[in-house]
Amino acid sequence: MIRSLVCAGLILAAWVCNAADAGWMKHVSETDRARTNPYAKQADAIAAGSRLFQDHCAKCHGEDALGRGKKPSLRTREVQQASDGELFSLLKNGYLRRGMPSWSALPEPSRWQLIAYVKSLGEKGTDESTTPLQ
Amino acid sequence: MKLISVLGLFAWLSLATSVAGQEWPYFVTYSHALEEPGNLEVEFRGVQASPKYGNDFSSATIEFEYGATAWWTTEVYLSGQHTSNDSTVFNGYRWENRFRPLLREHFINPVLYVEYENLNKADRSLLEVVGHDSISDLRLPNAESRSVTERELELKLILSSNVRGWNISENFISAKNLIAPEPWEFGYAFGVSRPLTLVAGSRDCVFCRENFSAGAEIYGGLGGLDGFGFKATSHYAGPTVAFNIPRGPTVSFSPSFGLNANSVGALYRFKVSYEFQQIFSHFHRRAK
């Protein structure tokens, strides 16, 4: 029985490792892509999003969202020009293969507030030590 | 030397930021929320109960939960208990792993759970109820029960959904004693919960509704391969509430009430968890 369990574990690990996806944007459904942020550009939502960002995101992406180590900047053109729906999809699904967890436990309105905040930061260049998101 | 090691550990942990993670207020039920990669959650869980015709007991479990990757969380538990008019005993350890086989969010999200337990029979942490677990197990004197060691393999299928702010989770539990010829035992847990509000406020506050979540849990045994079903099993149900103190620990409480004569009348459960974010981050080069 133990041998069977070890085999099952190895098969599972191999499957998870091979379930690679080439980039989070490729997996955004048309339905998600078309979604709009009900809190876009609202000052209160941006302030709330800022609090959420500092609590949940800043430790990886940096307090200024410019990235930290291998954790990507959120102020690149790719992120800032992504649609709200695309970013919503990223937060909902995560990008588990690359270490970005799913934030589906964060209520949907809070996720939109977070996106409103990230979009309010605007683009800013990064140095070579940060990793692009894709 | 031990003191220096402990102080060193706390100094290291203090370099990491602590916050409340994505956490539902469950005590037995698991959802598909895993620990964020690189984060370490330290949790203290307590159970207090007064079984009929038995001595009052308090059980304490310390849990270290680490997000190894975004799809794999690993945990170690250390458990002990104190029984009134009896003694205080260390019960043993558990090593638990949870894997998300599907890398995207679905309506129902499966998680595979594998745990190895090395506990003596005096364990009263009641982290799950399986097989024919009942109130009579809790009446055994520690001197008798601690001499029996159980090495168990526990497997769970966790199914969980997040729908309109609600979390709905179902767990199917199976456990096998690896050192005694006992049949597989089964159990279940079901939980539902929701934050008190879904929208975050624009200002910091402690007692805002966004910092609270509430729900309910029901769990119990389903017999074993020698007799699957509700016969001679125990079951519990009760409300549960969690309070995420901003930039601090999460405190949860739940009274679980026994649903039949094989169950303890009431289990009072509480836990305090503290999450240290990116505990290895100070070894990394800061990008600026």
Side-chain angles (χ1 to χ4, degrees):
Chain A
M1 189 192 69
I2 289 174
R3 193 179 297 170
S4 306
L5 287 169
V6 169
C7 287
L10 290 173
I11 290 168
L12 173 70
W15 178 57
V16 168
C17 292
N18 287 312
D21 40 3
W24 63 275
M25 277 227 194
K26 291 179 181 174
H27 297 276
V28 179
S29 69
E30 286 309 311
T31 315
D32 275 349
R33 205 180 298 272
R35 296 185 74 169
T36 54
N37 188 348
Y39 298 101
K41 296 181 180 170
Q42 294 179 17
D44 275 358
I46 291 170
S50 170
R51 286 184 51 234
L52 292 167
F53 184 88
Q54 295 307 323
D55 280 352
H56 298 298
C57 317
K59 195 67 185 178
C60 285
H61 295 287
E63 290 175 7
D64 47 13
L66 285 172
R68 177 177 285 186
K70 291 181 177 177
K71 310 292 170 49
S73 169
L74 303 180
R75 300 179 69 177
T76 59
R77 176 166 295 181
E78 180 205 7
V79 174
Q80 292 295 323
Q81 293 193 351
S83 72
D84 289 345
E86 286 168 337
L87 294 180
F88 186 85
S89 172
L90 177 62
L91 280 179
K92 181 179 77 175
N93 294 295
Y95 191 24
L96 306 191
R97 174 84 183 147
R98 295 289 184 90
M100 168 71 177
S102 160
W103 290 93
S104 67
L106 202 62
E108 190 171 315
S110 297
R111 277 179 263 155
W112 285 123
Q113 290 174 312
L114 201 45
I115 291 165
Y117 170 70
V118 170
K119 282 297 195 84
S120 75
L121 295 172
E123 282 180 37
K124 191 171 180 184
T126 58
D127 70 14
E128 291 172 355
S129 59
T130 57
T131 308
L133 194 58
Q134 205 158 358
Chain B
M1 191 64 189
K2 277 183 184 173
L3 180 65
I4 292 169
S5 304
V6 170
L7 290 175
L9 176 67
F10 278 98
W12 175 48
L13 289 175
S14 67
L15 293 172
T17 309
S18 66
V19 294
Q22 303 187 79
E23 196 160 327
W24 298 105
Y26 303 133
F27 284 83
V28 177
T29 314
Y30 284 85
S31 73
H32 68 294
L34 300 186
E35 190 58 56
E36 287 87 41
N39 289 6
L40 175 73
E41 185 177 279
V42 181
E43 185 171 297
F44 175 84
R45 292 171 180 239
V47 185
Q48 199 280 327
S50 304
K52 200 174 179 181
Y53 308 124
N55 290 318
D56 296 1
F57 69 83
S58 303
S59 169
T61 301
I62 291 180
E63 172 187 341
F64 299 91
E65 175 177 306
Y66 180 67
T69 71
W71 48 266
W72 170 28
T73 291
T74 185
E75 296 179 53
V76 172
Y77 297 77
L78 302 172
S79 295
Q81 57 101 330
H82 169 75
T83 303
S84 301
N85 307 315
D86 196 335
S87 61
T88 300
V89 291
F90 175 69
N91 301 130
Y93 69 90
R94 293 172 165 87
W95 178 39
E96 168 192 311
N97 291 280
R98 282 177 283 149
F99 305 95
R100 270 188 75 154
L102 303 181
L103 298 184
R104 290 177 63 76
E105 193 78 2
H106 297 270
F107 182 67
I108 296 175
N109 301 282
V111 173
L112 305 176
Y113 171 113
V114 183
E115 180 186 88
Y116 174 75
E117 297 181 1
N118 188 335
L119 295 164
N120 57 47
K121 214 169 178 177
D123 177 49
R124 291 176 183 179
S125 54
L126 297 168
L127 298 187
E128 66 279 315
V129 176
V130 293
H132 301 285
D133 290 352
S134 78
I135 189 171
S136 58
D137 302 325
L138 307 174
R139 293 181 184 136
L140 289 174
N142 284 343
E144 185 181 331
S145 53
R146 71 181 297 188
S147 61
V148 182
T149 299
E150 293 186 325
R151 296 196 179 102
E152 277 194 355
L153 177 70
E154 190 172 295
L155 307 173
K156 291 183 187 177
L157 174 62
I158 298 163
L159 301 175
S160 171
S161 310
N162 290 329
V163 183
R164 296 178 188 276
W166 291 87
N167 175 262
I168 304 158
S169 297
E170 310 89 37
N171 297 178
F172 302 96
I173 309 166
S174 56
K176 175 82 175 82
N177 190 337
L178 299 174
I179 57 172
E182 294 174 2
W184 282 88
E185 297 180 308
F186 304 107
Y188 70 92
F190 175 81
V192 58
S193 68
R194 184 186 188 277
L196 295 196
T197 182
L198 304 181
V199 184
S202 56
R203 293 181 183 174
D204 279 329
C205 62
V206 175
F207 294 104
C208 301
R209 287 192 298 161
E210 69 186 81
N211 295 329
F212 291 87
S213 55
E217 270 187 298
I218 182 167
Y219 52 91
L222 290 173
L225 274 183
D226 56 343
F228 185 82
F230 293 116
K231 191 177 176 186
T233 56
S234 57
H235 304 268
Y236 298 89
T240 176
V241 64
F243 173 34
N244 293 320
I245 299 169
R247 294 177 186 81
T250 299
V251 181
S252 308
F253 175 73
S254 172
S256 294
F257 301 103
L259 301 181
N260 63 12
N262 291 319
S263 316
V264 180
L267 301 171
Y268 298 99
R269 295 177 178 274
F270 67 95
K271 65 180 178 183
V272 180
S273 58
Y274 208 64
E275 185 174 79
F276 298 92
Q277 291 192 335
Q278 303 302 305
I279 54 166
F280 296 113
S281 65
H282 60 282
F283 294 122
H284 298 164
R285 186 161 50 102
R286 172 108 194 232
K288 273 283 180 188

